[in-house]
Amino acid sequence: MHATNSYQAFRRKVQRYLDQLNGKKVAKAKPKKVSKPKTMVKPKTIAQLADEVLAGKHGNGDARKRSLGSNYAKVQAEINRRFGVKSAPKKKSAATIVNEVIAGKWGNGRARFDKLWKAGYDPNVIQREVNKRY
């Protein structure tokens, strides 16, 4: 109970007692309403959240990210698992790729362009960085 509420309750009790002493008819104090304790809601599993996403209950894009909060990545991984989507391998930094291109590890010309593109890198960006170093 908040301190101000406690003080006000005390004042009401004192006033009621004084009124009784002075012969005034005093209504009985209303009993406090006791609220039922809230039941704990069991958190949903990642599988349940994934089912909800597939049913469209969490929207799309940023709305889905906000709705799922810290579970977003786990739910997305579960959906990907269900559909047989494998995670992309972690990419190297552009600087590392530039160093590898300079060392000749990616080949030359069109072959290098195709290899970089297939690996998920933008060959034009990599080439610009290589050119800056020379």
Side-chain angles (χ1 to χ4, degrees):
M1 184 181 274
H2 192 271
T4 302
N5 291 338
S6 297
Y7 177 72
Q8 294 300 328
F10 171 75
R11 286 187 59 196
R12 283 191 297 274
K13 284 181 184 180
V14 169
Q15 187 61 51
R16 205 172 12 259
Y17 178 72
L18 290 173
D19 289 346
Q20 285 176 340
L21 287 176
N22 291 327
K24 291 184 180 177
K25 214 172 193 182
V26 179
K28 289 186 179 182
K30 295 179 184 177
K32 278 190 171 184
K33 291 182 181 179
V34 178
S35 60
K36 292 181 182 179
K38 293 182 180 178
T39 57
M40 294 295 291
V41 176
K42 187 176 178 182
K44 294 179 181 175
T45 65
I46 298 301
Q48 289 170 322
L49 290 171
D51 290 339
E52 290 179 359
V53 165
L54 293 173
K57 293 183 180 179
H58 292 276
N60 294 309
D62 289 338
R64 181 181 295 167
K65 285 181 181 179
R66 282 190 302 276
S67 178
L68 295 172
S70 63
N71 290 321
Y72 177 78
K74 292 176 187 174
V75 172
Q76 190 61 50
E78 171 63 14
I79 291 170
N80 289 344
R81 185 194 64 76
R82 290 182 186 186
F83 287 98
V85 176
K86 297 193 181 204
S87 299
K90 189 171 181 179
K91 289 185 178 182
K92 297 176 184 177
S93 71
T96 299
I97 298 301
V98 168
N99 289 335
E100 290 178 0
V101 166
I102 292 170
K105 295 181 180 181
W106 288 86
N108 293 307
R110 184 68 192 183
R112 176 170 62 203
F113 184 94
D114 291 341
K115 284 174 86 174
L116 288 167
W117 188 258
K118 189 175 181 182
Y121 301 101
D122 184 338
N124 297 312
V125 170
I126 300 299
Q127 189 61 51
R128 274 195 299 272
E129 290 301 314
V130 169
N131 294 344
K132 282 182 185 178
R133 292 195 188 181
Y134 284 106

